[in-house]
Amino acid sequence: MIISMFLLVICCTCSAENQMKPENGENVVRYWAPQIPESITFCGENINLSNYYLRERFDRELLSFSYWHSQVFLMIKRANKFFPIIEPILKENGVPEDFKYLALIESNLDQRAISPAKAAGIWQLLPATAKEYGLIVNDDVDERYNVEKSTKAACDFLKRSYEKTGNWVTAAAAYNTGLARVLKQIELQKTNNYFEMLFGEETNRYVFRIILAKFVLENPKELGFFLKKEDLYYPMKADIVKVDSSVPNLTDFAIEKGINYQLLKDANPWLRTNKIINNERKELFIKIPTQEYLKNPQKGGSVHFEKWVVNP
């Protein structure tokens, strides 16, 4: 898979020492390097960061991802909207919950994301891979942009990779560089442990970026990111309409359902044109946002992880 080009960011420190302070009559700014934890877990595996090589790889991401605060805030806001959808699907399919951070790294949870290599959706699936795992990809319907269905497809890929590699972390690396390449490296390097393996630069950094995403989202306030629950985005409340035939005009369809074309496409980004050609009469499920959600998306919504906000 091709990693999206966006960068994670974390602020250098939450310490008040980072603020401008008068010293000898002059204002100065002190920057402190963020503290590296002794260890961190990912997919149930404990990663001992006292190992100099792993510590320096972790620290590289910690430092290079600094200062782009807008992206961290956006990650947290979107996580509140999409993690409640992704987590149950991961659990149902027997995939570790930590893989939700892989989706975050791939797309920043932008369900319309598309890479230069034409990987698309939250999970950045390539067209051939999506079709291999049962998704519809054509001019009118592209289910890579369907959060629920693309998450299931990603689960299938990760489970297959785990079955072949015997290691969930190494399966994460396969998501980036491809399963065949990972299996070749396992044979060459005589280990299936990602943290004992050497890959190309992108894959060498890829899993640590996922781990960094987990580290940031589990400790935002400690790293200087403070949000209120009013700042978060909330899962869409919608009525579901089943369609098993062609729809010649989605603008008319939207108006019939009490919304407009813009809202229909936002709720269903997998609808790629203004029509659905469905000669095979496949069952498609279209979300129609409720009027209550459109007026007040926070109403009835909950904070998915209380550490994300100052007022849970």
Side-chain angles (χ1 to χ4, degrees):
M1 296 299 166
I2 303 298
I3 185 172
S4 64
M5 297 306 294
F6 100 99
L7 293 179
L8 277 174
V9 190
I10 46 183
C11 104
C12 255
T13 178
C14 59
S15 170
E17 291 289 338
N18 269 9
Q19 303 304 314
M20 294 186 69
K21 287 187 172 184
E23 185 174 287
N24 298 326
E26 297 181 359
N27 287 329
V28 297
V29 179
R30 294 190 179 97
Y31 295 100
W32 295 81
Q35 185 174 355
I36 303 171
E38 293 182 1
S39 65
I40 190 169
T41 61
F42 180 68
C43 294
E45 185 170 339
N46 186 66
I47 306 154
N48 184 354
L49 295 178
S50 65
N51 175 307
Y52 88 93
Y53 183 62
L54 301 183
R55 182 180 180 84
E56 290 182 10
R57 287 169 71 182
F58 183 91
D59 194 35
R60 176 182 181 179
E61 305 311 324
L62 190 62
L63 295 173
S64 66
F65 292 162
S66 297
Y67 294 114
W68 199 2
H69 305 91
S70 61
Q71 289 300 308
V72 176
F73 284 124
L74 191 56
M75 287 192 311
I76 298 171
K77 288 169 180 270
R78 287 176 174 168
N80 196 68
K81 183 174 185 177
F82 290 111
F83 278 5
I85 300 172
I86 292 172
E87 287 175 6
I89 300 173
L90 294 175
K91 183 177 180 179
E92 181 182 348
N93 286 275
V95 174
E97 186 178 300
D98 280 351
F99 276 103
K100 63 191 179 187
Y101 299 109
L102 184 152
L104 190 151
I105 280 294
E106 283 286 342
S107 64
N108 203 13
L109 298 180
D110 178 1
Q111 58 182 336
R112 297 170 192 78
I114 185 165
S115 78
K118 306 303 181 184
I122 277 181
W123 292 92
Q124 288 291 277
L125 296 168
L126 291 167
T129 304
K131 291 177 181 178
E132 180 182 353
Y133 288 99
L135 300 186
I136 300 172
V137 180
N138 60 42
D139 290 341
D140 296 323
V141 172
D142 190 338
E143 292 183 327
R144 294 179 297 165
Y145 297 94
N146 182 307
V147 177
E148 293 86 354
K149 291 190 175 183
S150 64
T151 300
K152 174 61 168 62
C155 286
D156 291 342
F157 177 91
L158 291 166
K159 286 193 296 183
R160 179 187 176 198
S161 297
Y162 174 71
E163 289 169 1
K164 295 290 186 180
T165 65
N167 185 288
W168 282 115
V169 183
T170 309
Y175 201 92
N176 173 251
T177 194
L179 179 57
R181 189 171 300 172
V182 166
L183 293 175
K184 182 177 180 180
Q185 291 305 314
I186 289 174
E187 181 180 3
L188 177 69
Q189 301 185 42
K190 296 180 169 54
T191 179
N192 69 341
N193 185 337
Y194 171 85
F195 299 108
E196 296 177 356
M197 298 174 74
L198 180 66
F199 290 98
E201 181 74 358
E202 181 179 310
T203 307
N204 251 3
R205 299 182 66 179
Y206 181 76
V207 173
F208 277 91
R209 288 175 172 171
I210 301 171
I211 294 168
L212 240 296
K214 177 180 178 179
F215 184 64
V216 173
L217 265 70
E218 288 187 348
N219 307 279
K221 286 179 279 189
E222 294 176 22
L223 293 164
F225 296 97
F226 296 87
L227 295 92
K228 302 186 296 294
K229 60 184 179 182
E230 295 83 5
D231 299 326
L232 301 177
Y233 303 154
Y234 289 85
M236 178 177 293
K237 295 182 177 67
D239 297 320
I240 306 298
V241 177
K242 184 177 77 172
V243 173
D244 58 5
S245 61
S246 296
V247 179
N249 190 305
L250 286 172
T251 299
D252 293 339
F253 179 87
I255 293 172
E256 290 172 5
K257 302 303 178 184
I259 58 174
N260 58 41
Y261 181 69
Q262 178 193 65
L263 292 173
L264 178 73
K265 294 298 284 288
D266 186 68
N268 305 276
W270 51 275
L271 296 172
R272 305 307 296 168
T273 65
N274 192 34
K275 66 182 186 305
I276 299 173
I277 303 300
N278 188 9
N279 295 328
E280 297 178 2
R281 301 190 67 86
K282 293 184 177 180
E283 289 188 346
L284 303 173
F285 297 90
I286 298 176
K287 296 178 182 178
I288 307 296
T290 66
Q291 293 300 316
E292 179 186 32
Y293 179 82
L294 293 175
K295 292 175 182 177
N296 187 359
Q298 298 176 17
K299 187 175 181 181
S302 61
V303 176
H304 189 62
F305 184 53
E306 63 179 17
K307 287 187 177 181
W308 288 343
V309 298
V310 297
N311 59 338

